[in-house]
Amino acid sequence: MDRRTQADRDAITTEIGYAFVSACFAAALAFGAVYGPVLAFSLSPSTGRILAVAGGVLAAAVFLLRVVHVLLGFARRPENDGG
C-alpha cells in the first residue's frame, strides 16, 4: 500500500480548494451572463423565471465541468502518480 506524504496531501487539498473556488467563480459568471438581462431590462416575470432556470442549469454544468477539468488535469501531471 503506497502512502502519501504530507506534501502530497497538502497539494491535493490545495488543488481541490482551487477547483472549488474557480468553479464557483465560473458558474457565477455563467449565471450572470444568462440572468443579467433580467436585472438590466424590464422583462416579464415569466421570462425572468425562464432565464433564472436556464442560468442555474448552465451554472451547474459549468461548475461540474470546471471541477472535473481542474482535478483531472492535476491527476495527469507527470509528478503525480495518479493514485
Side-chain angles (χ1 to χ4, degrees):
M1 183 169 158
D2 189 24
R3 301 203 66 153
R4 296 185 191 270
T5 65
Q6 184 63 41
D8 290 339
R9 291 192 301 267
D10 290 346
I12 292 168
T13 301
T14 301
E15 200 68 19
I16 290 170
Y18 170 72
F20 180 77
V21 170
S22 67
C24 286
F25 184 72
L29 286 177
F31 181 81
V34 174
Y35 190 70
V38 174
L39 302 174
F41 305 110
S42 297
L43 300 177
S44 68
S46 61
T47 303
R49 283 191 297 274
I50 290 169
L51 289 177
V53 170
V57 169
L58 179 63
V62 166
F63 180 87
L64 290 174
L65 288 172
R66 179 66 183 159
V67 168
V68 168
H69 176 76
V70 169
L71 294 180
L72 285 179
F74 177 74
R76 290 182 180 150
R77 280 197 268 176
E79 63 268 12
N80 297 317
D81 63 352

